[in-house]
Amino acid sequence: TKASVLGDYLPAKLGMDEGEQVVFMCDPKDYSGNLLFVFENGKAARVELKSYETKANRKRLTGAYSDKSRLVKAFDFTEDIEIVLYSTENRALALHTSRINPKTTRNTQGVSVMTLKAKYKVRSAALAAETNITDISRYRVRTIPAAGARLKDEDMLEKQITFEEQP
């Protein structure tokens, strides 16, 4: 079959420059709700979708989020959610989005939610309901920023597969 049957190549359709890539997409519908950006440096930014609404039909939106640190994950939500941040130090931190105040500026650096030692970074983030964590309260904190708790073996993101020898 033809390549056009597979669909549209998004970078070509959007007219992206060399080196640009799609990181996250959401359908804003009526521009109610929020976006949450989690950055590698342990900061998170909550931005209202209203701040992305434009009066004129623009071809390209610039300054969608802060470029001070690499974006790890973005979430869109209408009601507050609980997320889990994982660091390269094998720590996890459970956080409810109600603790982060929404900002009106799109390219805000956010607020510090996870304190990290110099050589460590936030490696991933996920919805708490989609993680392997059995006891989520162990990773919840009272105040932010916090370092989080060490991950238990049973709560790891990736499970190590082992082979057992047959007698």
Side-chain angles (χ1 to χ4, degrees):
T1 68
K2 296 180 189 176
S4 62
V5 175
L6 297 172
D8 292 325
Y9 182 60
L10 206 52
K13 195 79 162 171
L14 297 174
M16 297 173 93
D17 294 333
E18 187 72 30
E20 281 187 311
Q21 59 183 346
V22 176
V23 180
F24 175 76
M25 286 192 315
C26 77
D27 182 10
K29 294 180 182 83
D30 61 350
Y31 292 95
S32 63
N34 297 279
L35 291 175
L36 182 74
F37 299 105
V38 178
F39 298 101
E40 197 173 55
N41 62 0
K43 291 187 177 188
R46 181 177 174 170
V47 181
E48 293 179 344
L49 269 172
K50 278 186 264 180
S51 57
Y52 289 93
E53 192 171 14
T54 58
K55 304 293 181 224
N57 190 10
R58 295 186 196 158
K59 182 177 180 178
R60 187 181 294 221
L61 175 69
T62 58
Y65 60 90
S66 175
D67 59 356
K68 303 273 189 229
S69 181
R70 189 179 74 80
L71 181 69
V72 173
K73 182 85 176 184
F75 300 93
D76 64 327
F77 57 96
T78 51
E79 294 179 14
D80 286 322
I81 55 175
E82 187 170 35
I83 60 166
V84 178
L85 279 65
Y86 295 95
S87 75
T88 54
E89 191 184 3
N90 273 344
R91 290 185 174 271
L93 177 122
L95 173 73
H96 203 266
T97 55
S98 62
R99 293 185 150 194
I100 302 171
N101 293 329
K103 306 286 185 186
T104 53
T105 54
R106 296 188 306 235
N107 60 353
T108 180
Q109 293 180 35
V111 295
S112 190
V113 291
M114 190 172 207
T115 53
L116 301 163
K117 293 179 184 168
K119 62 182 179 179
Y120 298 110
K121 300 174 181 174
V122 173
R123 69 174 166 171
S124 64
L127 292 172
E130 296 174 357
T131 63
N132 294 332
I133 296 176
T134 52
D135 182 20
I136 196 79
S137 62
R138 169 179 161 72
Y139 303 100
R140 284 189 188 117
V141 292
R142 292 190 178 157
T143 60
I144 57 171
R150 282 235 173 245
L151 273 169
K152 290 183 176 178
D153 289 339
E154 63 265 15
D155 293 337
M156 291 284 194
L157 265 178
E158 303 89 19
K159 298 284 185 192
Q160 182 71 37
I161 299 173
T162 58
F163 292 104
E164 295 180 17
E165 290 186 31
Q166 296 293 327

